[in-house]
Amino acid sequence: MSRVQEVKVQRPFRAVESAIGSQDLPEVARLLAELTVGEVVDLLERLGVRQRAVAYRMLAKDRAVTVFERLDAPLQRELVTGLRDEEVAGVVESLDTDDRVSLLDELPAALATRLLKGLPLSERELTAAVLGYPENSIGRRMNPSYVTTHPDLTCAESLERVRGELERTRNVYTVMVTDPQRRLLGVTSLQRLMAAPPDTLVSQVMEEADRVSATEPRERAARQCAALRVLSLPVVDDEDRLVGVLTVDDALNILEDA
C-alpha cells in the first residue's frame, strides 16, 4: 500500500475510532456512510474486536450484508460471535445460500445449529440440502437458487417466470431448461428470451448445456466453469436432475482460495 493510500485509510479509521471511543454512534454511522464498501471492509479489518462489532451495527442493513460477504472467514466468525442473536439471524438470512453454508462451516457447531434453526423453513431446507454434500465437493459451494423453464413454454411465459424469481435469486441471466422431473435438458439466456418473438417456444432458443456433478471436487468444477467462460454452470445429481448452479464469480473465488 502506498503512503497516499495509507493516509486515505488512516483518516476515516481514526475518525471512526474516536467516535466509538466517545460513544457518538450517529457520528459513526455518518462516517461509515461516506465510505465505499471496500473502504468499510478495510476499516473493519483494522478495528479491535469490540470496536468492529459497534461499527458494524451502525451500517445500513443492505450494506451490512454486502460488507459481511467481503470479509475474510475468520473475521466473519469473530463478528458473528460478537453480535446479538437477532442481528446475526438477519445477516445470515440475507446471505445467498452458498455464502451462508460457507459461514456456517466456519462457526462452532452449536452456534451454526442455532442459526440454521432460526431460518425460515424454505431457506433452512435449501441450506440443509447444500450442507448434505461432501465438504470439498462443488455441491457444498453451489447456489441452489436458480430460474428454470420448460421447452414447451413460450419466451413470454419464461420471462414471466424470471420476473417472479427476481427477489429470490440473482442468477437470472442464464435460465435452465428442465423436464417435469427436473432433469436438465439445456440452457438459454435472458438475452435470447427477450430478443425472440413472444410466442417463440423455448425449445427453439435453448442450447445444449454443459454440466458438472454435485459430488465433483470443487476446484475441478471451478476450473471447468472458468474454462467454458459461462456465467452459470449447472450442477446435477447422479440422475442428471438439476440441484444448483455454480456462478462464475463463485468459481473464481474457489480458484483464488486454491
Side-chain angles (χ1 to χ4, degrees):
M1 182 181 289
S2 69
R3 181 168 178 77
V4 172
Q5 290 174 315
E6 180 67 26
V7 170
K8 187 178 179 182
V9 171
Q10 283 290 346
R11 285 174 179 168
F13 170 75
R14 293 196 185 100
V16 170
E17 191 176 42
S18 174
I20 292 174
S22 61
Q23 299 185 349
D24 188 351
L25 299 186
E27 177 65 5
V28 175
R30 186 191 69 78
L31 290 167
L32 293 174
E34 294 178 351
L35 302 178
T36 66
V37 169
E39 289 170 339
V40 173
V41 170
D42 287 338
L43 187 144
L44 291 178
E45 289 174 345
R46 291 165 175 261
L47 290 172
V49 176
R50 188 191 70 80
Q51 295 171 321
R52 186 180 298 124
V54 171
Y56 186 79
R57 287 190 178 104
M58 294 301 102
L59 294 170
K61 183 179 179 181
D62 291 346
R63 204 164 193 232
V65 174
T66 303
V67 168
F68 189 87
E69 291 174 337
R70 294 273 295 272
L71 294 173
D72 290 338
L75 277 184
Q76 288 183 337
R77 181 175 64 246
E78 179 188 278
L79 192 57
V80 161
T81 57
L83 297 175
R84 295 188 299 267
D85 278 0
E86 61 269 21
E87 292 172 323
V88 175
V91 170
V92 172
E93 185 177 341
S94 299
L95 293 173
D96 285 341
T97 307
D98 52 337
D99 293 326
R100 185 186 303 141
V101 167
S102 296
L103 172 63
L104 294 176
D105 278 339
E106 290 287 331
L107 297 177
L111 177 56
T113 300
R114 189 166 78 241
L115 291 176
L116 188 59
K117 288 181 178 178
L119 292 171
L121 179 60
S122 59
E123 291 297 327
R124 187 163 69 244
E125 289 175 342
L126 282 176
T127 306
V130 173
L131 284 169
Y133 289 99
E135 186 172 348
N136 291 317
S137 70
I138 199 58
R140 197 68 169 256
R141 292 293 295 270
M142 70 181 181
N143 193 325
S145 298
Y146 46 82
V147 182
T148 64
T149 187
H150 303 299
D152 55 348
L153 292 181
T154 66
C155 290
E157 290 170 326
S158 298
L159 286 172
E160 194 60 36
R161 291 170 71 99
V162 171
R163 293 188 191 96
E165 295 293 330
L166 287 177
E167 289 189 10
R168 189 179 68 89
T169 179
R170 292 179 288 182
N171 302 314
V172 298
Y173 300 107
T174 303
V175 180
M176 308 296 161
V177 185
T178 62
D179 68 9
Q181 285 71 48
R182 216 173 70 246
R183 285 189 294 264
L184 182 65
L185 301 177
V187 296
T188 189
S189 67
L190 183 60
Q191 181 181 15
R192 282 198 191 96
L193 293 175
M194 295 177 68
D199 58 351
T200 303
L201 293 178
V202 169
S203 58
Q204 297 176 262
V205 295
M206 63 182 274
E207 59 183 6
E208 188 175 342
D210 292 292
R211 65 202 72 195
V212 64
S213 170
T215 55
E216 187 85 7
R218 62 188 181 191
E219 186 178 341
R220 188 185 303 167
R223 292 191 184 284
Q224 181 178 341
C225 182
L228 291 169
R229 298 178 181 274
V230 292
L231 293 177
S232 297
L233 181 63
V235 181
V236 297
D237 64 12
D238 293 339
E239 298 180 16
D240 209 34
R241 291 176 301 193
L242 186 65
V243 292
V245 295
L246 172 62
T247 59
V248 65
D249 56 333
D250 285 336
L252 294 176
N253 287 336
I254 290 170
L255 294 177
E256 184 178 346
D257 292 342

